[in-house]
Amino acid sequence: MDKIFKFFKREWANLTFQKSIPLSLDQPIISFTFDDAPSSAFVNGGGILEKYGFAGTFYIALTFLDKKDSTVSFSKEELENALANQHELACHTYSHIDLSKTRLSKSKADIKHNQAVLSALFPQLSFKNFSYPFGAKTRGIKVFLSKEFRSARGIGHGLNLNKADLANLKTVKLYKDRYTLEEINQQIEKAIAENAWLIFYTHDVCEQATPYGCIPAYFEAVVKTCAERRLKVLTIDKALNKIEAITGVSLSSFLSIFELLDFSIL
């Protein structure tokens, strides 16, 4: 019953509010993202991307900073190394909460606290993009995030093309037992054919991967394919910069137009 309730909350949020933009690219874009970002994501995932001259986006919940008693933990040094190698740090709430089960006021406070902790670590740095823990959301939190961040990535499967919801970007999982490399390559070929924005996501990248992660060889095979096909691999924030450059319009302007329509209808 809980899963059904969460599903309807998520679908209602996606049906009744979108930060919708036209997405017409002159070439495909690939982004590699990591949720929770345990050490293996930084060391192995980030290291593989760097090997091919790429950078990724790490959605972090800073409650996991130096949390040695957790399966998810990372260090300040790993954050510093990520930034030095041009990776993006993005927001994943502070406490890694289920936003569909949390009061809106508490959800907002938790997300803002993640930024406050980041600012204490890196005074000049701010989160620009977000991903939903567990893919969970409500309409209220989706509206809030659409104003607070440039984008929010969900867990819905697919490519971003034609029209994209910046408050619920689609993605393709790089999970241990979810898709074969052949199936992943098919997604890459489809992105090339349709000039789409393909966002990959995973969690850990290690030999003993969880069901929500993958082994380094699998991850590197995907990255190597992108390099061999000479695809543009960008962080989420740099991808949005490119989209703005193509359209010639600030993405935030789309929100104000849609908000007017959204609240006059509902």
Side-chain angles (χ1 to χ4, degrees), residues 4-256:
I4 294 174
F5 188 57
K6 183 186 294 188
F7 171 81
F8 278 109
K9 274 192 171 183
R10 182 175 68 241
E11 294 308 304
W12 177 250
N14 292 332
L15 177 66
T16 61
F17 181 85
Q18 295 182 13
K19 186 177 181 180
S20 186
I21 63 162
L23 189 60
S24 179
L25 299 175
D26 55 3
Q27 60 181 307
I29 297 175
I30 309 293
S31 295
F32 288 90
T33 70
F34 307 85
D35 283 6
D36 305 351
S39 288
S40 67
F42 286 104
V43 176
N44 297 328
I48 290 168
L49 287 171
E50 292 158 22
K51 176 180 175 180
Y52 292 90
F54 301 145
T57 296
F58 295 81
Y59 293 102
I60 57 173
L62 283 163
T63 189
F64 295 129
L65 178 66
D66 292 325
K67 196 165 186 177
K68 303 303 182 184
D69 60 342
S70 170
T71 55
V72 179
S73 179
F74 51 82
S75 67
K76 184 180 179 183
E77 181 181 7
E78 286 164 343
L79 299 182
E80 291 171 338
N81 288 339
L83 293 170
N85 285 288
Q86 306 304 307
H87 298 291
E88 177 188 4
L89 300 183
C91 186
H92 199 45
T93 74
Y94 174 76
S95 304
H96 199 263
I97 53 176
D98 185 328
L99 295 169
S100 69
K101 297 180 179 179
T102 309
R103 292 179 65 88
L104 182 58
S105 59
K106 185 175 180 180
S107 295
K108 291 180 179 179
D110 189 88
I111 291 165
K112 288 181 179 293
H113 183 58
N114 207 38
Q115 176 60 56
V117 175
L118 180 74
S119 296
L121 294 169
F122 306 103
Q124 305 305 315
L125 191 63
S126 62
F127 291 123
K128 295 182 180 178
N129 297 287
F130 183 89
S131 74
Y132 300 95
F134 318 107
K137 63 177 72 71
T138 64
R139 186 184 189 281
I141 198 64
K142 191 179 181 189
V143 172
F144 168 75
L145 292 170
S146 67
K147 300 175 184 178
E148 195 78 6
F149 298 98
R150 297 184 80 190
S151 74
R153 202 217 68 221
I155 61 171
H157 178 80
L159 305 178
N160 298 282
L161 71 163
N162 300 326
K163 186 177 76 170
D165 181 2
L166 287 183
N168 185 41
L169 289 170
K170 294 179 181 178
T171 186
V172 173
K173 295 176 175 68
L174 295 180
Y175 279 12
K176 180 180 178 183
D177 300 314
R178 183 60 64 92
Y179 299 114
T180 66
L181 286 173
E182 181 180 356
E183 289 172 319
I184 292 298
N185 287 337
Q186 289 172 358
Q187 292 293 320
I188 293 173
E189 291 303 322
K190 185 176 180 182
I192 294 171
E194 302 192 41
N195 282 341
W197 183 12
L198 169 53
I199 302 173
F200 289 118
Y201 95 102
T202 192
H203 292 75
D204 50 301
V205 182
C206 59
E207 294 299 340
Q208 289 75 42
T210 69
Y212 312 105
C214 61
I215 63 172
Y218 177 98
F219 187 80
E220 182 165 5
V222 179
V223 175
K224 184 179 180 182
T225 295
C226 293
E228 290 175 343
R229 297 302 306 271
R230 299 182 180 275
L231 300 176
K232 186 169 288 296
V233 175
L234 301 173
T235 65
I236 294 296
D237 208 53
K238 288 184 177 179
L240 292 173
N241 288 343
K242 179 173 175 59
I243 291 167
E244 283 191 331
I246 291 171
T247 62
V249 180
S250 171
L251 297 178
S252 61
S253 66
F254 288 102
L255 174 62
S256 60

